[in-house]
Structure formats: structure tokens, C-alpha cells
Amino acid sequence: MTLVSLSGYLLFISFVAYLVGTFLFGGAVKGSKKDEASASNKRWGKAAITVTIIGFATHVGYFITRWMASGHAPVSNMFEFTTAFGMMLVGASILFYFLYRSAAIGLFALPIAVIILGYAAMFPKDIQPLIPALQSYWLTVHVITAAIGESILAISAVAGLIYLLKNVDLTKRSKGRGWLEFIMYTLVLVVGFIVVSAGFGASGYEAKFTYVDKNDKPAEMVYHNPPLFGMNEYEAKTEGVMEPIAEMPPIINAKTLTTFVWSILAGSVIYLLIRLITRRRVAELLQPLAKKANSQLMDEIGYRSVLIGFPVFSLGALVFAMIWAHEAWSRFWGWDPKEVWALITWLFYAAYLHLRLSRGWEGRKSAWLAVIGFAIIMFNLVAVNLVIAGLHSYA
Amino acid sequence: MSSIKCECGHVNPEGTDICQNCGRPLSKEEKEKRLADMRYDGAAIRSMTHKRSIVDKVWNFFSSVKIGVSIIIAILVAAAIGTFLPQVFYVPAANEAQAAQYYEEHYGTFGKIYNALGLSDLYGSWWFMALIGLLGISLVVVSLDRGIPLYKSLKNQRVARHPSFMKRQRLFGEGEVSDPDAAMAKAKQKLMESRYRIREEDGAILAEKGRWSRWGPYVNHVGLIIFLLGVMLRALPGFYVDESMWIREGETLAVKGAPGLFVENKGFSYEVYNKENTDEVFGEAIDRVGTVASKYQTDVALYEQPEDALPGSTEKEFVKDYSIVVNKPLKYEGYSIFQMDFKLDELKSMTFALQNKKDEKSKGELTINLANPEKEYDLGNGSKVQVLDYYPDFNGFEDGEPQSATPVPNNPAFLFKMFTPEKPEGETSFVAIRQTLEPLGENQYRMAFQSAETRNVSGLTIRKDKTLPIIALGGLIFLIGVAQGSYFNHRRFWIRKADDGRLLVAGHTNKNWVALKRELDKATEFAGLPAYHDQRDPEEEIEDHTEGESKA
Ligand code: HEM
């Protein structure tokens, strides 16, 4: 067995472990007694954290073996970075489990990690050599520290989500209820993306087009799902593929747009099916899982994770980033979109801390802020990498 | 300035919320609160007491956290808008008109408006700088406004606090204890084990630790202020050099922005990954994406003019050889020279033959150095060629005149005058690549292209940044400050005997209540102190105070 295939197996084991861990954590919060955890809850909790730690260990194993195989830290493209982020998210939830013994955090963090891993798996998994700009140990130091910071910050969103599920009244129409359901819908959309990519991927779908790019040069593009949108002045090179519905101007990547629209379609269908079959909102389905969580504790965890994560994020995403940018691009700051979004994330959490400390934004307000913070982190990871092209673009 | 006298007799400055001596609530708002506002331990802060003069108003504006957060959010939103489209410095445009054209061509009406509003150079706009400036002022003001009173009130803290102070703490408990003095002694012992510092005063104990963490926010703000000062200094001449230059292989040029330094380009190389030169694990990726660049490298020699060199002298001393690659700049005397760009195979010279059109017999060959063509090339035997005009980057005619877009020999064209024994008066010919014109009538001779030589060009960037140490210091202080304020907490625990012999206990921390409770639980259990309650937790599930598995 080569190192590369070993690392692939280890990652798969982690994926399964996180799925199993989620169900075990479910056992740790079930039961009707409100505050007291039964002995059975405790047993489930212990099993859950054990499986989670095993999954985390194999995940680290994946990381190390892939590092050994490629000779550089596996954080240099979309697949690698997202997978590493999932790993750190699990690591952060283990840390918070031991700080606060809260099974609810594990119960909600693990499925998010599963979705993140599923998302990562949709990108090319081959090991790529490093282009000159990435040939620096600062790549390793900067990206890993920034990702650790982001994953700790993400725990505050997990705690915030639990807080909201428990405290937003889902029986009455309200803004809070609407937005909470919107968050659930977004999560289902990511699942939609995975279903679409995996589905068309398994069928081996391919449609090749030539087009004229924004510099008026001829170029080629291969779609992996039926082309809803065509690139600028496209011409099909594969026989019998569907005719794109509309042609896009050159600055829009019609392939990305196509994947995006397919994901929304698939995600919406899945969402509607859930609603039709269960006759409930998704938030309502999840609410019982949050019922036993202590709101004050979730608020405390939310704040604490920002406190722990903020300095790490500052160090990794700003300070190390500036040092590297100074070595690689001769300036420590260049207003590249990725840099700017790291700054935005940092400013946002600074605002969170000030609103909380000085203006008393605790509980619900702070939980919403934590969820928005996670949305910004995800935006930076997904949209800025794939859509807003810059020096950091992994396209 | 007026002052407030507390029932205990202590005189507090105006604006004090909580008596700095006994802890009784003083202000009306404070008395109405169920829990004490412990942010500055109830001390008076300037912005809450001075509200009259203009200076006060400006001061209060900047010290308001509401304003501070608004400034932060404004910067955040502006920064985000700046990422909608590429900023102008990432756009291939040499001037404003070209930029305007680029935005309109590529991004339509939206691009046109974006550029017209100045959003394409958002980070360099006066108003964005002004926002950063406001942030800096706010940081200075707020730190003075709150830091000083907080420092004073924590330093002058008293041990025995009035029962009303203790009752208004978030963690509070009261109850009968059989032997209060013994219980207090045991509590003291346990708290000391948790590294609390203990102070005692007539029947009261104050256990405290981690006070220094309260300075964390102020330290980090000072770090940010230093950082911003460093950034401002770059505007002063001499602190900051940022130049770029093109240097062809074989050339020796003065380093731009670095007087007295010279570099020689000894060769530029560009390498790619392919299946032969890389590990086989990369095979799949190389198959998928094709060639991937692996290295851009300029081999240079660095020279320096001796300090005592006469003005205008070209004397140079060799300093060192270095291979500049991305991520490994050449560093010397505070200057860093970076590999930033390259052009492969720029034309270096072209060789032509002076040919008789009929029988293609040559009168000889000449090689033109495109960086510096000579005026006349003598081929001997009565033949010579004059270069009347040279257009290094020929891009067509305007009013019948040939034009050169740039001084770079991308598409050289020449106006030659050819002299031969047959045509001693000379024949004129315009020669560009794949194009020959004979403006003054049919010629007998022509310049026939033979060969060309090329070379690579390196794009180097030269930086010198004297502000870096200041900026780095600011960053370091900021990091120390956030760590100090985030990873350490200020915890306090008060115990005192009430007049009726019962014991009162109260606890406060600025963050991380769970850890505080854990320590207090240990002391409470060990010493048999009255149990306390978290007055902020309506769900009060923290009955066993262990935050154990039961809490989920
Ligand atoms: C980007 C800029 C800023 C950053 C990164 C920053 C960072 C911080 C941090 C990390 C804390 C500690 C928070 C906590 O421990 O929960 C803090 C506290 C504080 N900041 Fe800022 N800050 C910034 C700008 C400002 C501004 C503009 C103001 C002005 C109004 C301000 C006022 C305060 C105040 C009043 C505190 C509380 C101090 C205390 O309670 O002792 N900050 N800041």
C-alpha cells in the first residue's frame, strides 16, 4: 500500500467515525428528564467522545501521511485545505468537550464536520506540486494557524446555533424563526452540492466546450454536470450533450454557475422532501436535540471560543500572513481579496467582543453574531477562493 | 468638581457608580440594578462625568464604544465593497482613462459606476484613510478614558465590602456556619492552593488572582496604535522604498531606489514540473492540469559603489552573487530585492543581409543590437546601411508615420537607407517583421531577415521599509495584549461575616465563569461555606456546580 492510498483510507475511517460519533452523541442527549443526565446518557457520551477521538486520530494520520507523500503540508488546494479545516473543527470540539463536558457541542459540530468533509471530497484530490509562490514554510505555519483559529471560532457558531434552537420560539411566526430555518436550508444546500457532484461524478458525465475568455483568447472547459449555462461564445465539443439555456458574458464562469444552480436545485428538492415527509420545519426536527442544553452554558462556550480563537486567528491569519506576504510578494499587505476577507473576519469578531463586553450583547444577540461570523469564514473559504479571483485563488 | 459622599463616609468623585471604599451603590441607575455593573468596578470614567465643553464632547464621541464599533463596522463594510471587483492596481491599465475603459469593457455598467465612484481605488481613497484615522483616535481616547480609572479603582480596592455589594454580585450565597472563623481559615487555605492572593481585614477576606489580565485590552489597543503609527510613517520620505525594474540577461543596472547599488542579471531561468523531474505522486495532477511552474530564478551579482567614489565615477565593488527566487529575496543593507515578474525570449538582436532582390546575392550581413542600435553599419566594398529610424514596438501607422507603443523591442521595425555601389545615392526601405514597404519607389536591394537572438528579462522589485520594526513591534504588543486579556481572567472571591453572624460569599470574574465556579466549589466544599447561586442563570442547572456530563 502506498502512503497516498493509506492516507485515503485513514480519511475514510475518520469520515465514518464522525458519522457514528454523531449518533452516539445523540444518545447522550436523549431522554425526557430535563436537567439531570441519566447514567445511560453518560455511557453514550463516553462512547461518543471515544469514537470521535479515534476519528480525529485517523484524520491526523491522513494529514501526516499525505504530508509525507507530497513533501509539503497538505493545505495547498481546496480539497486539502477544506479537509484540514474539518479536522481542526473536530479537534476544537474535542477541546471544548473536555473544557465543558457538553455533548450538545459534539452532537452539532460533528455533522457539520461531516458536511465539510463531503464538500472537500468534491474537489480534485490528486497531490499537486507547489508553485513558486507557495514554496515557503510560511505556507505551512500561516495556513495551519489560521485554520486552527477559524475552527475554534466556529465552535461559537455551533454553541450559538444550539442556543438559538433552544430559545427561538418555533411555534410562532418571527424573524428569528425565519432566519433559523434559512440556516438549515443553507446546510441542506451544501448536501445538495455533494449529491449533485457525487451523482454526476459517479456517472462519469463530461461535456467539453471551447469558448472565448475575457482576454479574447480561445480556451477550453470541461463540465462535469449538464451545462445549464454556456461560457462566452461557447461551442460544444462533446456530442449529444444538452444545449446550455443561456450564454454568459466572459467575466462569469458559467461552469461554476452551473454547478451552483444544480446544487440549489438538488438541495431545494431535498429540503422540500424533508418538509413534505415530516410535515415540520428542519429547525423543529432538530430542536429536541438542543432541549437539554443549558443556555447559559452555551452562551459561555460561545464567548469563550471567540476569546480562545481570536488571538490564534489574529496570529495565523494576519500576523503570519503578513510575514509571509512580505517574504513572497515584497509587501506585507496588498489588499488582495483573500487578505481583505481575513481582515473582515477579524474586524467582525473584534466587533463581537466589544458589543458583548461593553454593550452587554449576550445570549441571543451574541448567538446570532456567532452564526454570522461562521458565515463570513465560510464565505472566505468558498466564495473568495472560487469566485473572487486573486493571488490566493485555488481555482 | 463635585463629589459624592457615601454612607460609609468615603468621598467618591462625581460619576462613581459604586463606592470605592465599601461597595455600596451610589448612582440612581446603579441602585436600580439587580446586579452590580462591575466593568470598571464602578469607578467614574471621564466620558461619563465631563459633558460640557467642546473638548468633552469630542472626547466623549471617541470614547464611546458604540462609535468605536460603528467605525469598525464601517471599515469592514468598505473593505468588503472593495473586493467586489479587482482593485485598479491589479488591473492592466497604465492610466485613469485606460482603467475606466477596462472596467467598462469587462464589467459593463456596474464596472463603469464602480470605477466612477472611486471604488476601484477604495483602499487608497481619502475617506477610507479617514476611517482608519478615526479608529486610531478612538483607540487612544478610549484607552485613556477607561484604563486610568480602572487601574486606580483596582489598585485601591478594599477588602471588606458592604453586604449590598456582595448581594449584587452574580455569584452570591449566604448562610449559617457553625464556626465562621474556622470556615474562613479553611477557605483561605484552599484558595491559596488555587493560587489566589489573599487579603484580610476585620472579619473579611478578599481572594484575588489574575488582575493583570485586566490590562490586556489596553495593551492590545496600544499595540494597534503603534501599528497604525508605523503605517503612517511610511508616508514620510526615506522610510519606505518601493520600486520595480526590468533587467535583461547580461545587463548591469543601477538598483532603482537604492543609490550606489548595482545588479547584474547573469541569467534568468524558468522551470516547470513534468513527469521526469518530479516524484510520481504528482503524476496525476500533472496529467490533469498540464505544466505547472516550479521555479522562477534570477542569478545576479550585486555591486556597490565605494563610499569614497568620486561623483560620476563608475567604479563598482563586487558584493556578492545570489540566486533570487520567489520567497527568497536578496537582502542587503536594509534593501530587499524580490523576484516578481519575467518575460521570456525578448528579442535581443536581429541579423539582416543586404540582398539584391533579383539574384539574392548578399553584400554582407549586419546584426542590430535592439537595445541600442547603431546609426550606421559599414559592410565594406562601398556598401553600408543607415538606420534612419527605429520603432522598437511598432504598432501601425498614424498619419503615415510609423508608431512605437513602448520602448520594449516586442515588434521591432526600422527605416533603413541602403547604400551600394550600384545605388550610391541610397534606397529607403521600411522593414518590420513580415512586412516591407518601399515608400520612395521600387528598390533594387532589400534587407533580408536572417536570424534573431533572444534573451530573458527579469522583473525585480526593490523594497526598503524602515517602518517594519515599528509595525512588527505593534503587532507583537497586540498579540501579547489579546493573549493576556483572553487566556487569563481576573477572579475575585469575597467572604465576610455579617452582623448577625452569618457568612456572606460573593464571586466575580471578568470572563470564564465556569472556571471560577470550579475553584469556588472546591473551596466551598472543603471549608463548608454557604452555597452560592448564579443569579444570572435562569435555568439554574448548575446545581452540582461541576458542569459535569449532566450539562448537556
Ligand atoms: C480593530 C480594532 C480593535 C481591536 C482589534 C480591539 C480589540 C479589543 C479586544 C480583543 C478587547 C478585549 C475584549 C474582551 O476581552 O472581551 C477590547 C476591549 C475593549 N475595546 Fe477594543 N479593539 C479595537 C478597537 C476599539 C475601539 C475603536 C474602541 C473605542 C471605542 C475600543 C474600545 C474597547 C473597550 C472599551 C474595551 C473594554 C476594555 C475593558 O473593559 O477593560 N476598541 N478591544
Side-chain angles (χ1 to χ4, degrees):
Chain A
M1 188 160 53
T2 64
L3 272 177
V4 182
S5 53
L6 173 65
S7 93
Y9 291 131
L10 288 172
L11 182 60
F12 184 69
I13 295 173
S14 308
F15 185 80
V16 175
Y18 298 156
L19 277 177
V20 174
T22 306
F23 286 105
L24 295 176
F25 272 124
V29 302
K30 73 171 193 290
S32 54
K33 268 200 285 172
K34 197 166 171 289
D35 7 283
E36 203 108 339
S38 64
S40 131
N41 279 164
K42 285 190 183 163
R43 250 181 284 120
W44 283 97
K46 223 167 237 153
I49 192 68
T50 311
V51 170
T52 309
I53 290 174
I54 292 172
F56 182 66
T58 53
H59 209 154
V60 173
Y62 143 83
F63 194 77
I64 293 172
T65 45
R66 189 167 170 108
W67 192 329
M68 286 159 60
S70 68
H72 59 259
V75 287
S76 64
N77 60 28
M78 236 359 222
F79 164 74
E80 290 180 343
F81 181 80
T82 316
T83 306
F85 179 67
M87 172 175 87
M88 289 158 189
L89 183 63
V90 175
S93 31
I94 294 174
L95 170 75
F96 274 83
Y97 181 85
F98 284 108
L99 282 178
Y100 291 99
R101 304 275 164 186
S102 164
I105 295 289
L107 176 62
F108 282 85
L110 281 188
I112 293 178
V114 165
I115 294 181
I116 288 175
L117 287 186
Y119 177 78
M122 298 306 122
F123 291 90
K125 290 190 267 303
D126 43 28
I127 293 183
Q128 292 159 1
L130 292 181
I131 59 166
L134 298 183
Q135 294 165 8
S136 165
Y137 54 79
W138 286 109
L139 165 72
T140 313
V141 177
H142 152 63
V143 180
I144 291 181
T145 323
I148 292 177
E150 288 181 345
S151 66
I152 299 173
L153 291 171
I155 295 293
S156 77
V158 174
L161 193 60
I162 300 170
Y163 185 98
L164 294 171
L165 278 174
K166 177 162 178 180
N167 289 288
V168 172
D169 184 354
L170 296 179
T171 60
K172 282 205 244 35
R173 196 191 167 86
S174 70
K175 247 199 234 156
R177 186 177 81 169
W179 281 110
L180 200 52
E181 192 58 18
F182 178 75
I183 296 171
M184 299 299 147
Y185 174 63
T186 335
L187 289 175
V188 177
L189 290 189
V190 183
V191 176
F193 168 78
I194 297 171
V195 168
V196 164
S197 307
F200 287 118
S203 72
Y205 187 92
E206 246 190 42
K208 198 188 255 178
F209 286 84
T210 56
Y211 68 101
V212 177
D213 74 8
K214 64 177 177 204
N215 301 322
D216 286 329
K217 299 239 163 61
E220 229 179 53
M221 182 71 96
V222 181
Y223 286 61
H224 298 286
N225 35 39
L228 299 173
F229 301 95
M231 304 291 290
N232 181 40
E233 297 178 33
Y234 65 86
E235 255 174 67
K237 290 286 155 194
T238 314
E239 304 253 316
V241 295
M242 97 178 241
E243 178 74 13
I245 302 166
E247 182 182 320
M248 291 291 117
I251 52 156
I252 290 182
N253 184 334
K255 180 185 166 187
T256 309
L257 184 67
T258 297
T259 311
F260 183 71
V261 172
W262 273 116
S263 310
I264 294 203
L265 289 176
S268 302
V269 170
I270 299 172
Y271 179 79
L272 284 178
L273 283 177
I274 298 175
R275 293 285 300 257
L276 282 176
I277 293 170
T278 64
R279 313 223 141 253
R280 298 250 189 89
R281 288 192 181 72
V282 178
E284 278 177 90
L285 294 173
L286 296 180
Q287 193 169 42
L289 300 174
K291 265 283 170 274
K292 277 181 103 175
N294 176 313
S295 306
Q296 187 77 35
L297 181 64
M298 288 305 127
D299 189 48
E300 178 86 23
I301 292 178
Y303 183 33
R304 189 87 192 287
S305 56
V306 176
L307 279 175
I308 299 179
F310 187 72
V312 180
F313 182 81
S314 306
L315 180 69
L318 294 172
V319 174
F320 287 160
M322 287 188 204
I323 297 175
W324 182 23
H326 180 258
E327 292 290 303
W329 295 314
S330 83
R331 81 289 180 286
F332 66 86
W333 192 260
W335 299 108
D336 171 70
K338 188 96 192 174
E339 285 172 0
V340 176
W341 277 93
L343 176 71
I344 290 172
T345 312
W346 182 76
L347 289 171
F348 181 84
Y349 282 100
Y352 170 103
L353 287 171
H354 289 90
L355 287 169
R356 190 170 170 112
L357 192 68
S358 289
R359 303 207 57 78
W361 281 33
E362 299 188 357
R364 191 177 297 210
K365 280 181 180 165
S366 161
W368 281 116
L369 285 182
V371 172
I372 297 172
F374 184 64
I376 295 178
I377 291 177
M378 284 295 113
F379 183 82
N380 199 358
L381 176 61
V382 178
V384 178
N385 276 349
L386 300 178
V387 182
I388 305 180
L391 298 170
H392 283 79
S393 180
Y394 285 144
Chain B
M1 186 177 132
S2 62
S3 52
I4 316 172
K5 192 165 173 191
C6 176
E7 283 172 52
C8 71
H10 185 77
V11 179
N12 294 283
E14 184 195 352
T16 308
D17 283 324
I18 296 174
C19 175
Q20 298 293 292
N21 180 45
C22 69
R24 282 188 182 88
L26 294 179
S27 64
K28 198 165 137 272
E29 305 95 67
E30 189 60 31
K31 283 182 182 147
E32 280 164 7
K33 284 186 192 142
R34 198 167 65 86
L35 292 181
D37 182 353
M38 293 292 288
R39 257 189 47 230
Y40 305 104
D41 266 37
I45 55 180
R46 190 185 193 282
S47 58
M48 298 293 151
T49 52
H50 296 58
K51 298 193 170 164
R52 279 168 285 270
S53 71
I54 295 278
V55 178
D56 292 343
K57 293 217 166 97
V58 173
W59 180 273
N60 296 354
F61 177 81
F62 284 112
S63 72
S64 149
V65 176
K66 208 192 231 169
I67 298 294
V69 172
S70 310
I71 297 172
I72 293 177
I73 299 289
I75 296 174
L76 185 162
V77 171
I81 294 173
T83 63
F84 287 0
L85 294 182
Q87 290 286 301
V88 72
F89 40 83
Y90 287 121
V91 159
N95 54 41
E96 273 179 36
Q98 279 181 22
Q101 189 190 350
Y102 182 91
Y103 281 99
E104 184 165 0
E105 240 169 48
H106 285 77
Y107 308 106
T109 318
F110 178 71
K112 192 176 169 185
I113 297 172
Y114 192 84
N115 184 55
L117 288 177
L119 302 179
S120 54
D121 191 19
L122 190 149
Y123 307 116
S125 68
W126 64 269
W127 58 270
F128 190 74
M129 309 245 187
L131 279 177
I132 307 271
L134 289 178
L135 182 78
I137 297 172
S138 184
L139 279 165
V140 173
V141 172
V142 82
S143 303
L144 295 173
D145 188 57
R146 328 248 162 158
I148 295 167
L150 178 67
Y151 176 76
K152 281 194 193 151
S153 87
L154 290 180
K155 201 174 130 220
N156 301 328
Q157 258 184 104
R158 307 303 309 269
V159 174
R161 288 298 175 111
H162 191 257
S164 66
F165 174 85
M166 297 181 67
K167 281 196 182 119
R168 292 167 68 251
Q169 293 300 318
R170 178 171 156 182
L171 299 188
F172 172 70
E174 56 186 333
E176 306 273 349
V177 176
S178 52
D179 183 352
D181 290 319
M184 281 170 78
K186 279 177 104 175
K188 192 174 124 188
Q189 178 198 341
K190 202 69 193 172
L191 287 166
M192 273 161 87
E193 277 171 26
S194 309
R195 288 205 297 272
Y196 277 84
R197 273 187 294 132
I198 311 283
R199 283 164 61 199
E200 280 178 284
E201 214 173 74
D202 36 273
I205 287 180
L206 166 58
E208 182 178 18
K209 76 172 175 191
R211 186 197 290 176
W212 67 288
S213 74
R214 291 294 281 274
W215 320 133
Y218 304 95
V219 174
N220 91 45
H221 288 169
V222 166
L224 289 174
I225 294 165
I226 295 176
F227 185 96
L228 291 177
L229 282 179
V231 174
M232 271 162 56
L233 270 185
R234 319 175 125 211
L236 298 181
F239 274 94
Y240 188 56
V241 172
D242 172 14
E243 296 280 356
S244 36
M245 60 191 275
W246 289 100
I247 181 165
R248 302 179 169 98
E249 284 175 322
E251 272 181 334
T252 302
L253 295 179
V255 178
K256 266 206 205 163
L261 290 186
F262 296 83
V263 270
E264 176 185 357
N265 183 346
K266 294 181 146 181
F268 172 81
S269 51
Y270 165 68
E271 286 167 25
V272 294
Y273 293 108
N274 55 40
K275 289 211 144 158
E276 287 75 51
N277 69 8
T278 43
D279 202 286
E280 66 181 316
V281 296
F282 300 121
E284 221 177 292
I286 290 171
D287 283 344
R288 188 169 60 82
V289 293
T291 54
V292 178
S294 69
K295 195 185 228 174
Y296 311 117
Q297 172 172 326
T298 308
D299 297 319
V300 297
L302 184 70
Y303 302 92
E304 187 173 24
Q305 205 165 42
E307 290 202 6
D308 51 6
L310 296 171
S313 101
T314 52
E315 192 189 336
K316 298 195 259 299
E317 278 171 4
F318 172 78
V319 180
K320 60 175 164 183
D321 279 324
Y322 190 81
S323 296
I324 306 178
V325 296
V326 181
N327 276 309
K328 293 205 177 60
L330 163 60
K331 295 186 183 169
Y332 185 67
E333 285 184 347
Y335 292 96
S336 301
I337 304 180
F338 295 86
Q339 177 69 50
M340 287 304 278
D341 208 347
F342 64 92
K343 271 189 277 187
L344 292 181
D345 302 331
E346 182 184 285
L347 285 171
K348 177 185 177 192
S349 64
M350 288 171 96
T351 303
F352 294 92
L354 179 58
Q355 238 176 31
N356 188 317
K357 281 190 192 168
K358 276 212 201 76
D359 55 11
E360 306 211 329
K361 277 233 177 73
S362 170
K363 292 273 180 199
E365 289 191 355
L366 56 108
T367 296
I368 303 176
N369 175 353
L370 296 171
N372 190 13
E374 282 167 41
K375 284 243 150 25
E376 190 174 292
Y377 298 84
D378 197 339
L379 301 179
N381 302 326
S383 299
K384 66 177 182 183
V385 176
Q386 281 179 352
V387 180
L388 296 182
D389 234 326
Y390 167 46
Y391 313 93
D393 195 3
F394 172 63
N395 67 341
F397 293 90
E398 215 169 272
D399 302 330
E401 280 288 314
Q403 301 292 321
S404 182
T406 67
V408 181
N410 291 326
N411 184 25
F414 306 87
L415 190 62
F416 289 122
K417 194 155 190 186
M418 305 167 287
F419 298 89
T420 47
E422 293 95 321
K423 293 272 180 185
E425 71 284 9
E427 295 176 307
T428 307
S429 173
F430 176 80
V431 179
I433 291 172
R434 295 212 198 92
Q435 183 181 15
T436 303
L437 299 175
E438 299 181 346
L440 305 180
E442 185 78 11
N443 292 338
Q444 202 175 333
Y445 279 84
R446 71 170 166 215
M447 296 294 286
F449 172 74
Q450 302 295 307
S451 63
E453 244 191 292
T454 62
R455 58 181 164 183
N456 300 329
V457 192
S458 296
L460 302 178
T461 288
I462 301 95
R463 290 282 168 137
K464 174 176 177 170
D465 195 343
K466 278 201 200 159
T467 67
L468 274 186
I470 302 173
I471 287 175
L473 179 73
L476 183 70
I477 293 178
F478 169 78
L479 286 176
I480 292 173
V482 271
Q484 177 182 347
S486 308
Y487 297 152
F488 301 89
N489 328 119
H490 180 212
R491 299 177 190 162
R492 278 177 293 176
F493 196 41
W494 295 270
I495 310 174
R496 76 170 284 176
K497 283 188 275 192
D499 299 335
D500 54 7
R502 297 189 318 155
L503 269 190
L504 303 186
V505 296
H508 179 264
T509 177
N510 62 335
K511 328 198 137 84
N512 195 357
W513 292 83
V514 171
L516 174 74
K517 287 176 188 169
R518 229 175 258 148
E519 285 174 349
L520 298 195
D521 289 340
K522 267 197 265 165
T524 307
E525 201 184 316
F526 180 74
L529 296 175
Y532 61 86
H533 294 281
D534 185 340
Q535 307 196 60
R536 276 283 291 284
D537 187 358
E539 295 169 24
E540 258 293 282
E541 288 180 350
I542 318 206
E543 270 129 38
D544 56 359
H545 298 300
T546 56
E547 288 300 324
E549 283 97 338
S550 62
K551 286 295 107 31

